Amino acid sequence: MARVYNFSAGPAMIPEVVLQRAKEEMLDWQGSGMSVMEMSHRGKEYVSIAQQAEADLRELLAIPSNYKVLFLQGGASLQFSMIPMNLLRGKTSADYINTGEWSKKAIKEAQKFCEVNVAASSKDTNFSTIPARNTWKLNPDAAYVHYTPNETIGGVEFQDIPEVGNVPLIADMSSNILSRPIDVSKFGLIYAGAQKNIGPAGMSIVIIREDLIGQTISNTPSMLDYKIHVDAESMYNTPPTYTWYLAGLVFKWLKENGGLSAMAAINQRKAEALYAAIDQSSFYNNPVEKCSRSWMNIPFTLANAELDKTFLAEAKKEGLTTLAGHRSVGGMRASIYNAMPEEGVQKLISFMADFEKRNA
Ligand SMILES: *Cc1c(COP(=O)(O)O)cnc(C)c1O
C-alpha cells in the first residue's frame, strides 16, 4: 500500500527516510545483534545513541551550555504540573497568557499549585488572535511567565518571542519546536511532547536553564523533580528508549536537510500556499487573524458544513488523511509539520480547488 499524506495533529507524520532507516536497523542495530528496543539503557551502545541525539538537538537549536536537556515521559501534559512544582522557587504566583485550549489546560493545572495571574487573553476574539504585548498585565513578582507559542487546536502562533524582562519565560513548544530557528537564551524553560514535530509519542523534551533547577516544592515525587533527572542524565529510571532513538534519527534528518533555517523556509512556503488557497476562495475559511496564523496547524471550514463528511471521504480516497478538525471545533484542520512534504500540501490545495468546483 502506498503511504498517504497524513495531516494528523499528533501523533503525526515521520519522515519516510527515518522510518526506512529504523526498518533497516530494526533487527540488528549496527552489528549489535539486537534491536534498539532490546538494549539496556545503561549499555555502551544505547548510551551512545542517547548522547548523539542530545548533541544533535543541541546543535540544531544552538542550545547554550548553561541549559540542560531532558528526555522525559508523561507527555507535555505532565509538564503543566512539573513546571509549577519546580519553578515556583518560594514564590506564590505565576503569570499565564491564555491563547486557547492548550493554554487553558496549563492554567488549570497550575492553579493547583499557585495563584495564576492570567496576564493576557484572546478570549474576546474567540482565540483567533495573539493579545498585543502592550496589553499584558504582568506581575513583576511572578515566578515565571508561561505561554503557548503555537496553539495546535486554534491554529494561532506567536511570530516573535515576547519580551518579559527578568522573569523566566516558559514555553509549551509541543507543536512548533524545530519548525524554525529560535533563540533559546530568551527562555527559562522550553518543553514539547515528541509526537508532533520530534518523533513518536511517549516522550517529552525539556530544555531548562541551569539556575532554575533544584528548588522544588516540598514532597515533590522524585520522578517529577527536574534535578533528579538532570543528575541522572534522564536515566533515573528506564527512559522511553525507542522513542529517544527515533527522535535522534529525526534530528539527523533535519541536520542533513539544512537544519532549522531550511525547515523554516519550507514551512513558510507550505503554510503561505495553503492560506492563499483558502483566502482566495469564498468556499473555505480560516478564522485566524493574518499576523497570528500558525505555520503548523491550519484549521479551515467549508461554507456548507453538511459537506464535511464528503470532503473527508473524498480526500481520503486521494491519499489525504486525518483532515477532520479537533472534536471541540469541527471543520477541518491540516497539520503540516516538518515531515509533511511540500507535495502533500500541493496535493491538498489541488484537491480543495477541485472539490470546490464540484460542490460550490
Ligand atoms: C499536543 C499538545 C499538548 C499535549 O501533549 P501530550 O504529550 O499529549 O501531553 C500540549 N500542548 C500543546 C501545545 C500540544 O500541541
Side-chain angles (χ1 to χ4, degrees), residues 74-78 80 102 148 150-152 172-175 191 193-196 203 337:
S77 299
L78 187 57
F80 296 162
W102 290 111
T148 311
N150 185 65
E151 285 282 357
T152 322
D172 175 0
M173 289 197 192
S174 292
S175 49
Y191 64 102
Q195 69 275 23
K196 280 126 191 186
M203 187 174 77
Y337 302 116

Side-chain angles (χ1 to χ4, degrees), residues 119-141:
S121 166
S122 49
K123 189 163 186 272
D124 57 354
T125 65
N126 197 23
F127 301 106
S128 63
T129 56
I130 300 287
R133 175 63 190 84
N134 61 12
T135 65
W136 295 15
K137 296 200 165 54
L138 295 175
N139 169 7
D141 209 34

Side-chain angles (χ1 to χ4, degrees), residues 153 299-300 308 312 322-334:
I153 295 173
F300 61 94
D308 284 2
L312 289 166
T322 338
L323 280 160
H326 189 267
R327 58 190 185 281
S328 65
V329 283
M332 307 297 153
R333 174 176 50 170

